[in-house]
Amino acid sequence: MKITVDRERCVGAGQCVLAAPAVFEQKEDGLVELLRPEPEQDLHEAVTEAELICPSGAIELS
């Protein structure tokens, strides 16, 4: 799994950080920061949830 985030689309809701704190972080500007672009298998479920609940659709999985 590869993750990309579009900081231009991010609205700073922080849902991704709540769902997968080992993968996403909010920077001081409130926008998402990707910590692990290719997370380990045990994080895939949380990352998928983060993608689904992102209100701006800023997270893309491939």
Side-chain angles (χ1 to χ4, degrees):
M1 168 185 286
K2 284 190 174 189
I3 307 168
T4 56
V5 295
D6 184 348
R7 287 179 47 88
E8 297 291 319
R9 291 182 71 179
C10 179
V11 296
Q15 297 302 305
C16 58
V17 178
L18 294 174
V23 179
F24 302 101
E25 177 177 83
Q26 269 184 298
K27 299 307 280 181
E28 287 185 23
D29 61 5
L31 301 179
V32 65
E33 180 74 22
L34 182 59
L35 301 175
R36 295 181 179 179
E38 295 185 36
E40 296 82 4
Q41 178 72 34
D42 64 327
L43 296 171
H44 287 193
E45 185 177 333
V47 170
T48 300
E49 179 182 347
E51 178 197 28
L52 292 172
I53 63 176
C54 177
S56 65
I59 301 170
E60 185 176 313
L61 307 181
S62 59

